[in-house]
Amino acid sequence: MGVRARLIEVGVDMVTREGMQSLTLREIARRAGVSHGAPRHYFPTHVALLSAIARQGFADLTARVTETAGESQADPRARLLALGGVYLDFARANPGMFELMFRHDLLESDHLGLREVSLPLFDILTDLVTRARTRPDPAPPVVAGALWANLHGIAQLWGWGSLRLATGADDAGPLLRAALDAHLGPENR
Amino acid sequence: MGVRARLIEVGVDMVTREGMQSLTLREIARRAGVSHGAPRHYFPTHVALLSAIARQGFADLTARVTETAGESQADPRARLLALGGVYLDFARANPGMFELMFRHDLLESDHLGLREVSLPLFDILTDLVTRARTRPDPAPPVVAGALWANLHGIAQLWGWGSLRLATGADDAGPLLRAALDAHLGPENR
DNA sequence: AAACTGGGTAGACACTGTCTACTTCCAGCT
DNA sequence: AGCTGGAAGTAGACAGTGTCTACCCAGTTT
């Protein structure tokens, strides 16, 4: 395996195991078995390396989401519930990576390809939303955007205890269901 | 004005004007006109100083929110709309401070008094939600938590362009209204 | 008068990201 | 075959960071 791939792999491993603050350029190089100047041959700057690591995280999340969203022909509401669950599970099981992925100050937003990686996800969401909700009040992209923000907010706030503290719940499930019910309108059965 | 107060004031000024990455201990001390060792007499560590600065931001936000939420005897729905507007405006007008306030890795979560500062806010929210919504499906704290997460997610994602890009809107207003309508149920008039 | 103490300075230390020589080493050309 | 050029990697320097420690000096206490 080439040095470049090893750097990324070591970084992914470090961020999942020890959190974001362990991702110094020199320590990554150290654990990859190269000198502290070597990464510069593949990544012009520290931010570029972090971006590559974060992109791996995005790829992982995207894979899980698309896999879950396309799963069987269950009704869109159930798929959305699964999708939200995947999102929240990812954030809970992998807080370091989740944090890195949304630290836009540490990521080169252009080269990361945010458009390439987040728009497909958003399209899936929009599609499911259009087919799942029962009332047509706001335009689909707005609903999808609001729902995405809700998902992300739950993941973020839950991640550092605020919601657990405020709502008294010990699981993010009720919040997810509440968000879905809210944005999709009342159940129709 | 004492050195301690000046350090905080300088820090608040710096974060609002030049963003979070400018808040190095030494630069704050420099601009406050003291040596780089002086802050240590008031704040045992860099994180403690950042926390004090962030607390100022929380105080500011809390002041605006309570002021807006208690404003007149307008119906709770209108008050929630105003509250959300304040939250989003704060994040938009003061992105550096908003970022700092929710960088829990840079804040000493205990001494910051997250409970003291965020629970009152959450109580206001819960109260308004209980009185504003039209259907009683999930328990009020859950709805309030989900709504808060939605607000926060909109502020966060809007802050770095994702939602503007995805929804095509050029203002967070529609998203805020969509979130409120969703969580509070259909309008009743 | 002497001792102590809180507020402040200055310098050291280990560490960081970046930059710049300097060495290998191997592919491609004449 | 021999040379050359560039890619890959090393090692060291530099400025900057947060933290720690020794010192200093005015005021107050004893």
Side-chain angles (χ1 to χ4, degrees):
Chain A
M1 184 169 47
V3 172
R4 184 193 156 95
R6 198 159 68 243
L7 286 171
I8 297 182
E9 200 201 40
V10 165
V12 170
D13 204 64
M14 286 174 67
V15 75
T16 61
R17 200 187 309 269
E18 304 167 37
M20 246 219 46
Q21 75 285 10
S22 72
L23 284 186
T24 66
L25 182 63
R26 291 170 110 105
E27 182 63 23
I28 297 177
R30 222 167 279 143
R31 302 209 194 176
V34 292
S35 74
H36 70 273
R40 184 149 255 261
H41 262 272
Y42 306 96
F43 307 98
T45 178
H46 186 205
V47 176
L49 175 52
L50 292 186
S51 299
I53 298 172
R55 175 155 35 191
Q56 199 79 3
F58 273 113
D60 187 10
L61 177 59
T62 304
R64 299 198 205 183
V65 163
T66 54
E67 172 185 356
T68 304
E71 200 171 60
S72 79
Q73 67 292 359
D75 72 315
R77 200 178 193 109
R79 288 209 223 172
L80 276 172
L81 185 62
L83 189 153
V86 167
Y87 202 90
L88 295 186
D89 279 350
F90 183 90
R92 181 170 46 85
N94 217 330
M97 181 60 96
F98 188 77
E99 187 186 350
L100 173 64
M101 285 164 58
F102 295 100
R103 280 287 300 279
H104 65 299
D105 59 314
L106 292 187
L107 273 37
E108 38 182 15
S109 40
D110 284 359
H111 184 253
L112 177 64
L114 260 181
R115 283 151 195 77
E116 309 162 6
V117 78
S118 73
L119 279 191
L121 263 178
F122 190 74
D123 285 345
I124 295 179
L125 195 64
T126 310
D127 177 52
L128 286 178
V129 162
T130 332
R131 289 160 40 204
R133 70 199 180 128
T134 57
R135 49 180 156 78
D137 300 22
V142 171
V143 176
L147 179 55
W148 179 28
N150 210 343
L151 260 178
H152 191 76
I154 292 173
Q156 192 107 24
L157 295 184
W158 189 265
W160 37 292
S162 312
L163 280 179
R164 168 186 276 107
L165 184 71
T167 65
D170 59 342
D171 181 21
L175 284 161
L176 172 57
R177 273 187 294 277
L180 278 181
D181 290 347
H183 287 281
L184 299 182
E187 200 108 22
N188 52 345
R189 50 180 59 169
Chain B
M1 184 168 48
V3 172
R4 185 194 157 94
R6 198 159 67 242
L7 285 172
I8 297 182
E9 199 201 40
V10 165
V12 170
D13 205 61
M14 284 174 68
V15 76
T16 60
R17 200 187 310 269
E18 305 166 38
M20 248 219 46
Q21 76 284 11
S22 72
L23 285 186
T24 67
L25 183 61
R26 291 171 111 104
E27 183 63 22
I28 297 177
R30 223 167 278 143
R31 301 209 195 177
V34 292
S35 74
H36 70 272
R40 185 151 255 262
H41 264 273
Y42 306 96
F43 307 98
T45 177
H46 186 204
V47 176
L49 175 52
L50 292 186
S51 299
I53 298 172
R55 174 154 38 190
Q56 199 78 4
F58 273 112
D60 187 10
L61 176 59
T62 303
R64 298 198 207 184
V65 163
T66 54
E67 173 186 354
T68 304
E71 200 171 60
S72 78
Q73 67 291 1
D75 72 316
R77 200 177 194 111
R79 288 208 223 173
L80 277 172
L81 185 62
L83 189 153
V86 167
Y87 202 90
L88 295 186
D89 280 348
F90 184 90
R92 181 170 46 84
N94 218 330
M97 180 61 95
F98 188 76
E99 187 186 350
L100 172 65
M101 284 165 59
F102 295 101
R103 281 288 299 279
H104 65 299
D105 60 312
L106 292 187
L107 272 37
E108 38 182 14
S109 40
D110 284 358
H111 184 255
L112 177 65
L114 260 181
R115 283 151 194 76
E116 308 162 7
V117 78
S118 72
L119 279 191
L121 264 178
F122 190 73
D123 285 344
I124 295 180
L125 194 64
T126 310
D127 177 51
L128 286 179
V129 161
T130 333
R131 289 160 41 204
R133 73 203 179 123
T134 57
R135 48 181 158 78
D137 300 24
V142 172
V143 176
L147 179 55
W148 178 29
N150 210 339
L151 259 179
H152 191 74
I154 292 174
Q156 193 108 24
L157 296 185
W158 188 266
W160 35 293
S162 313
L163 280 179
R164 166 185 279 108
L165 184 70
T167 64
D170 60 341
D171 180 21
L175 285 161
L176 171 58
R177 274 187 293 277
L180 278 181
D181 290 348
H183 288 281
L184 299 182
E187 201 110 20
N188 54 345
R189 49 181 58 170

